[in-house]
Amino acid sequence: MTDSSLVARDLQHIWHPCSQMKDYELFHPLIITGASKAYLHLQDGRKIIDAISSWWCKSLGHQHPRLKRALQLQMDKFEHVILANTTNETIVQLSEKLTELSPSLNKVMYASDGSSAVEMAMKMSLHARVIEGKTQRKLFIALENSYHGETIATLSVSDLGLYSEPYRSLMFAVKKIAPPYVNGEDDARWDNCELHWQSVLEQLQPYAHTATALIVEPILQAAAGMQIYSRDFLRRLRQWTREHDIHLIADEIMTGIGRTGKMLACEHAGIEADFVCLSKGLTSGWLPLSAMLTRNDIYDLFYDDYANGKSFMHSHTHSGNVLAASVALETLNIMTEEKLCARAGEMGGVMLEAMQAIANHTGKLKNIRMLGAMVAADLICDTNKRYGYEVYRKAVELGALLRPLGNTIYWVPPLNTEWETLCELKNITQKAILME
Amino acid sequence: MTDSSLVARDLQHIWHPCSQMKDYELFHPLIITGASKAYLHLQDGRKIIDAISSWWCKSLGHQHPRLKRALQLQMDKFEHVILANTTNETIVQLSEKLTELSPSLNKVMYASDGSSAVEMAMKMSLHARVIEGKTQRKLFIALENSYHGETIATLSVSDLGLYSEPYRSLMFAVKKIAPPYVNGEDDARWDNCELHWQSVLEQLQPYAHTATALIVEPILQAAAGMQIYSRDFLRRLRQWTREHDIHLIADEIMTGIGRTGKMLACEHAGIEADFVCLSKGLTSGWLPLSAMLTRNDIYDLFYDDYANGKSFMHSHTHSGNVLAASVALETLNIMTEEKLCARAGEMGGVMLEAMQAIANHTGKLKNIRMLGAMVAADLICDTNKRYGYEVYRKAVELGALLRPLGNTIYWVPPLNTEWETLCELKNITQKAILME
């Protein structure tokens, strides 16, 4: 079987995600035959760096032997069993670990997609209002440039037209407010956004009695182009929502489980949300699993005799899939034992320096920013140009899967990426930007 | 670790899907320690029949050695890699097999949840209209008593208030039409629903120029309580939608991959939809994977230079997850090699006879119905009574996980369930109904 025939067979049948399929005519799908640590192995014998952790999920890299062993042990016992009215040691242990992440979030519900976790949180917030008799509270508030998923409801609370424009007729209205962006912790607004806050507060006040929840990606808006906003802003949002009995939903699908240098990005602001959504890094990108954490007092609202009709009936076939759960449990063990949150912070420092060096050398980068093991910068170019896409193609040729968001380039490598790999990634990125 | 402590730990942290958690006070979660074929192994040493294939997904039963081997082989090569701009032998082979299911459905897009597959089809239908300039086509038509998932948009096209009522304020309006129900192929309406059709047609005509798609669970509405409707009705819907340029979306999440005795339930009516959604049986319930199949001419609408803005940007992290794909591929191989569609049909005959015998013996069942390896009947009781729930508890005690939908009891066991297991299931069901 030659390369070209597999590519032809692929293009005959597969509609790839988040792609203009015509782009594949010139830029063929890469044929994966293996993977290890931070590298993808291609059929042509090359090994390229997975600089974006396969869409921000493979936080422990590829083929981690402990994750493989965990999955093998579980599959030798049993694979997925319906979680309605059953339990098992694996899912209990995972749930215990997840509820340790945040002091008040003591209940966990499982799904597979990140979008589904966000939908569960949104539904639960609204449903709680129905049970409480606060039916005037039905509005959602979200941040400008937010991204919370691809279902119609998660697109409604998102603010990136690229993903949602054709589906407007099905979407519901959501109040959007602008966060104060910063390029890092050195920005004065990181810890004090008072001026900005006053204008936001004016926009928020009309919704103090009609909003059910405010949803945020805490601190880091990834799909928006790796934008970072003031942690003081998040603190103030938490305070305002608490004062007005509005739920705060933290979509930590991308940020959670160590990516930002903390297990939850909310920790940067020292706050706790009422709902936290996790996925991606939760299984280190091995298997689809998402989790929604919430408070006991919200759980208690739904807890009653069946006849009283308060059950949260969300039925997810693979809720708590035990194969995925076994990998998630071991991922959390490794995160702790190998102190990977701290390492994410160290990586951020190293990568920030490297990105700055590239900027100095090339003169092609601006707005360099960092949070944990995420460093990003914007390419200096005409906004209509697909410079980012050209960098993507060039980087693959040079040895790295670097998939810019428009003209924003970023590094989100596995949290255990070796230092020499980061060095190699720096060199490749620089050459790709210069098209050398 | 004793039973009670694991249960206590479970109830402290896990919010189980589709449950009133208070019910667990008396009816504890069953502790699963293993599984094999059609049986779940409990910590107390008992083996109980998984009579509902763990929510209709474990079509090849538990611990199938070939599926385990397929997963092991794949995980030894590589696990999940981003599918945007990559490909691999496993996902290509799976896509080839899936596109063989239906002559014109030649493109496949992947997600994890069933709901996401339906959302993709709905978004794609609407998006196609935007591209075609037919922006007046934005309405969806669905069937009464339908169930298409748990996200807000899939609840909008669903018609079961139990799941959607608290979320009405976020849902969009959908035209619902009533299908003509039958209890089996003997019903005259199975092949001729002319009378019923005329009234439906009157309801449909006003939407002939404004509907973008009509979505159905073909023939069998499972969550509605295993309701079967006329195949002639499905034929007529296909004809009407085709005449009026309206897409037909077949949600085969529960019915697909052999459950009804055909690979797709649409085959019972000899029709082909424009979009088909698959999940559940696709991996024989091992891992979350969903697929949406569609036509080349729909794909072609989106195929253009990137700058023209026609890309379908749906981004799903685990699209085409290769571990799940490896299990799905082997599932399809086994379905063919072991002729399990034919076996599903045989099982239906055997189970129908068994259910009729129970009805005769107990006098407690009505409306016995069968389609492929699905047999259902309604318990004769006061509608306010939780007789179904009592049967559930009793059956577990007697040795079967039989999870009625309200007061409808049904059998949806693995397609390779042994005959003596079905016999055992019959005896347990009968005793549970009689509360012996």
Side-chain angles (χ1 to χ4, degrees):
Chain A
M1 196 66 62
T2 68
D3 274 28
S4 61
S5 78
L6 193 71
V7 165
R9 289 162 63 204
D10 173 291
L11 296 179
Q12 200 173 349
H13 294 302
I14 302 180
W15 196 333
H16 289 260
C18 197
S19 299
Q20 170 48 257
M21 291 304 300
K22 191 163 192 281
D23 282 342
Y24 290 96
E25 286 182 13
L26 290 175
F27 187 22
H28 285 173
L30 305 166
I31 302 176
I32 307 294
T33 55
S36 56
K37 297 184 175 178
Y39 291 86
L40 304 175
H41 307 179
L42 307 187
Q43 198 184 44
D44 62 14
R46 294 189 306 135
K47 297 184 180 182
I48 69 171
I49 303 170
D50 187 355
I52 59 161
S53 296
S54 280
W55 258 339
W56 325 334
C57 67
K58 299 216 55 74
S59 49
L60 303 182
H62 297 267
Q63 291 281 293
H64 197 295
R66 286 182 61 179
L67 299 182
K68 190 186 284 192
R69 195 159 56 244
L71 180 53
Q72 256 159 350
L73 285 172
Q74 182 61 54
M75 70 195 265
D76 283 343
K77 288 183 207 151
F78 57 97
E79 76 270 7
H80 177 64
V81 169
I82 183 174
L83 193 67
N85 239 100
T86 80
T87 190
N88 60 75
E89 186 64 40
T90 304
I91 199 69
V92 169
Q93 282 189 32
L94 175 62
S95 305
E96 286 175 338
K97 284 218 174 277
L98 288 175
T99 52
E100 281 166 13
L101 290 177
S102 199
S104 311
L105 303 182
N106 289 315
K107 289 291 185 292
V108 53
M109 179 171 264
Y110 295 97
S112 304
D113 289 1
S115 294
S116 292
V118 174
E119 294 250 1
M120 289 195 303
M122 292 174 65
K123 286 171 66 179
M124 208 173 263
S125 173
L126 196 65
H127 199 156
R129 305 312 185 176
V130 172
I131 292 171
E132 292 175 304
K134 298 175 183 169
T135 49
Q136 83 286 1
R137 289 203 179 276
K138 42 177 91 151
L139 189 105
F140 286 86
I141 306 172
L143 301 189
E144 288 184 6
N145 301 312
S146 58
Y147 176 88
H148 296 291
E150 295 284 348
T151 57
I152 295 296
T154 58
L155 287 172
S156 297
V157 290
S158 300
D159 190 44
L160 299 175
L162 174 67
Y163 301 97
S164 60
E165 199 48 45
Y167 321 113
R168 288 241 163 260
S169 63
L170 302 182
M171 289 159 57
F172 50 84
V174 168
K175 172 66 186 169
K176 307 271 165 72
I177 53 171
Y181 292 110
V182 299
N183 274 340
E185 303 181 12
D186 296 341
D187 194 311
R189 295 200 295 182
W190 173 248
D191 264 327
N192 188 346
C193 69
E194 175 65 27
L195 266 177
H196 182 91
W197 177 251
Q198 288 310 321
S199 75
V200 167
L201 192 57
E202 275 174 40
Q203 294 171 62
L204 286 174
Q205 292 299 9
Y207 304 96
H209 302 289
T210 53
T212 183
L214 190 154
I215 182 168
V216 299
E217 294 153 278
I219 312 285
L220 174 61
Q221 293 182 313
M226 300 295 163
Q227 300 293 329
I228 299 166
Y229 62 85
S230 160
R231 67 175 175 178
D232 182 45
F233 186 68
L234 184 54
R235 277 189 208 122
R236 290 171 191 258
L237 288 176
R238 172 69 284 193
Q239 196 183 341
W240 184 81
T241 50
R242 190 160 281 148
E243 281 168 11
H244 296 285
D245 181 30
I246 293 166
H247 298 140
L248 181 66
I249 303 174
D251 172 349
E252 296 247 17
I253 291 168
M254 184 274 178
T255 55
I257 319 295
R259 172 54 59 189
T260 73
K262 309 276 186 188
M263 284 302 278
L264 298 178
C266 282
E267 294 171 34
H268 288 285
I271 63 118
E272 193 177 32
D274 302 302
F275 297 94
V276 165
C277 301
L278 298 168
S279 189
K280 293 197 185 273
L282 181 56
T283 63
S284 185
W286 274 61
L287 291 168
L289 180 72
S290 61
M292 186 215 67
L293 302 170
T294 192
R295 308 162 56 92
N296 277 337
D297 57 339
I298 291 172
Y299 173 89
D300 291 343
L301 286 172
F302 293 79
Y303 196 92
D304 203 347
D305 291 332
Y306 182 82
N308 292 330
K310 297 180 186 169
S311 316
F312 188 69
M313 294 299 283
H314 195 102
S315 315
H316 182 67
T317 306
H318 282 282
S319 183
N321 180 293
V322 76
L323 297 180
S326 68
V327 177
L329 179 59
E330 191 67 348
T331 295
L332 294 177
N333 289 335
I334 295 169
M335 288 297 301
T336 311
E337 291 168 28
E338 300 188 0
K339 299 184 175 54
L340 290 178
C341 280
R343 194 165 194 289
E346 284 175 57
M347 281 174 67
V350 169
M351 294 194 298
L352 180 63
E353 209 171 293
M355 194 68 92
Q356 271 161 344
I358 297 175
N360 294 341
H361 183 77
T362 64
K364 299 277 195 183
L365 295 177
K366 61 181 179 184
N367 302 330
I368 301 170
R369 49 203 183 269
M370 180 267 279
L371 187 73
M374 185 297 295
V375 170
D378 302 326
L379 290 161
I380 298 171
C381 69
D382 186 332
T383 52
N384 291 327
K385 223 187 130 192
R386 287 183 89 189
Y387 189 7
Y389 185 69
E390 295 309 316
V391 170
Y392 177 24
R393 292 184 55 176
K394 188 71 192 177
V396 164
E397 195 184 307
L398 293 167
L401 188 77
L402 187 78
R403 196 172 188 269
L405 289 152
N407 288 324
T408 294
I409 62 162
Y410 68 91
W411 295 326
V412 174
L415 303 179
N416 52 9
T417 303
E418 287 166 14
W419 302 115
E420 63 236 52
T421 301
L422 293 182
C423 190
E424 191 188 345
L425 178 57
K426 180 204 157 183
N427 294 334
I428 290 170
T429 305
Q430 182 163 299
K431 285 183 183 169
I433 288 171
L434 292 171
M435 299 285 156
E436 277 175 354
Chain B
M1 195 65 62
T2 68
D3 274 31
S4 62
S5 80
L6 193 72
V7 165
R9 289 162 63 203
D10 173 290
L11 296 180
Q12 199 173 348
H13 295 303
I14 302 179
W15 197 333
H16 289 260
C18 198
S19 299
Q20 170 48 259
M21 291 304 300
K22 192 164 192 280
D23 282 341
Y24 290 96
E25 286 181 14
L26 290 175
F27 187 22
H28 285 173
L30 305 167
I31 301 176
I32 307 294
T33 55
S36 57
K37 296 185 176 178
Y39 291 86
L40 304 176
H41 307 181
L42 308 186
Q43 198 186 44
D44 62 14
R46 294 189 307 135
K47 296 184 180 184
I48 67 171
I49 303 170
D50 187 355
I52 58 161
S53 297
S54 279
W55 258 341
W56 324 334
C57 67
K58 299 215 58 73
S59 48
L60 303 182
H62 297 266
Q63 290 281 294
H64 197 294
R66 285 183 61 179
L67 299 183
K68 190 186 284 193
R69 196 159 53 243
L71 179 52
Q72 257 158 349
L73 284 173
Q74 183 59 56
M75 72 194 265
D76 284 343
K77 288 184 206 151
F78 57 97
E79 76 270 8
H80 176 64
V81 169
I82 182 173
L83 194 67
N85 239 102
T86 80
T87 191
N88 61 74
E89 186 66 38
T90 305
I91 199 70
V92 168
Q93 283 190 31
L94 175 62
S95 305
E96 286 174 340
K97 287 224 174 270
L98 288 175
T99 52
E100 281 166 14
L101 291 177
S102 199
S104 310
L105 303 182
N106 288 314
K107 289 291 184 292
V108 54
M109 182 172 262
Y110 296 97
S112 304
D113 290 1
S115 294
S116 292
V118 173
E119 293 249 2
M120 290 195 302
M122 291 174 65
K123 286 171 66 179
M124 208 173 262
S125 173
L126 196 64
H127 199 155
R129 305 312 184 174
V130 172
I131 293 171
E132 292 175 305
K134 299 175 182 169
T135 49
Q136 82 286 0
R137 289 204 180 274
K138 42 178 90 153
L139 189 105
F140 286 86
I141 306 171
L143 302 189
E144 287 182 9
N145 301 313
S146 58
Y147 176 88
H148 297 291
E150 294 285 349
T151 58
I152 296 296
T154 57
L155 287 172
S156 297
V157 290
S158 299
D159 190 43
L160 299 175
L162 175 66
Y163 300 97
S164 61
E165 197 50 42
Y167 322 114
R168 288 241 164 260
S169 62
L170 302 181
M171 290 160 57
F172 51 85
V174 167
K175 171 66 187 170
K176 307 271 164 71
I177 53 171
Y181 293 109
V182 299
N183 275 340
E185 304 181 12
D186 295 341
D187 193 310
R189 295 201 296 182
W190 173 248
D191 265 326
N192 188 348
C193 68
E194 176 64 27
L195 267 178
H196 182 91
W197 177 251
Q198 288 311 320
S199 75
V200 167
L201 192 56
E202 275 174 41
Q203 295 172 60
L204 285 174
Q205 292 299 9
Y207 303 95
H209 302 290
T210 54
T212 182
L214 189 154
I215 182 168
V216 299
E217 294 153 280
I219 311 285
L220 174 61
Q221 294 182 311
M226 300 294 164
Q227 301 294 328
I228 299 166
Y229 62 84
S230 159
R231 68 175 177 180
D232 182 46
F233 186 67
L234 183 55
R235 277 188 208 121
R236 289 171 191 257
L237 288 177
R238 172 69 284 191
Q239 195 183 342
W240 183 80
T241 51
R242 188 162 280 147
E243 280 169 12
H244 296 285
D245 181 29
I246 294 167
H247 298 140
L248 181 66
I249 302 173
D251 173 349
E252 297 245 16
I253 292 168
M254 185 275 179
T255 54
I257 319 295
R259 172 55 58 189
T260 73
K262 309 276 185 187
M263 283 303 278
L264 297 178
C266 282
E267 294 170 34
H268 288 284
I271 64 117
E272 193 178 31
D274 302 302
F275 297 94
V276 165
C277 302
L278 298 168
S279 190
K280 292 193 186 276
L282 181 55
T283 63
S284 184
W286 273 62
L287 291 168
L289 180 72
S290 61
M292 186 214 68
L293 302 170
T294 191
R295 307 163 55 93
N296 276 338
D297 57 341
I298 290 173
Y299 174 88
D300 291 343
L301 286 173
F302 294 79
Y303 196 92
D304 201 347
D305 291 331
Y306 181 82
N308 293 330
K310 297 181 187 168
S311 316
F312 188 69
M313 293 299 283
H314 195 102
S315 312
H316 182 68
T317 306
H318 281 282
S319 181
N321 180 294
V322 76
L323 297 180
S326 68
V327 178
L329 179 59
E330 191 68 349
T331 295
L332 295 176
N333 288 335
I334 295 169
M335 288 296 302
T336 311
E337 289 167 29
E338 300 187 1
K339 300 183 175 56
L340 290 178
C341 279
R343 192 164 195 290
E346 284 176 58
M347 280 174 68
V350 170
M351 294 194 299
L352 179 64
E353 208 170 293
M355 194 68 91
Q356 271 161 342
I358 297 175
N360 295 341
H361 183 77
T362 65
K364 300 276 195 182
L365 296 177
K366 60 180 178 183
N367 301 329
I368 301 170
R369 49 204 182 269
M370 181 267 281
L371 188 72
M374 185 295 295
V375 170
D378 303 325
L379 290 162
I380 298 171
C381 69
D382 186 333
T383 52
N384 291 327
K385 223 187 131 195
R386 285 183 90 188
Y387 189 7
Y389 184 68
E390 295 309 315
V391 170
Y392 178 23
R393 290 183 57 176
K394 188 73 191 173
V396 165
E397 194 184 308
L398 294 167
L401 187 76
L402 187 79
R403 197 175 188 269
L405 288 154
N407 288 324
T408 295
I409 62 163
Y410 67 91
W411 295 326
V412 174
L415 304 179
N416 51 10
T417 303
E418 287 166 13
W419 302 115
E420 64 239 50
T421 301
L422 292 181
C423 190
E424 192 188 344
L425 178 58
K426 179 202 159 186
N427 294 335
I428 291 170
T429 305
Q430 181 163 299
K431 284 183 184 170
I433 289 170
L434 293 171
M435 300 283 155
E436 277 174 355

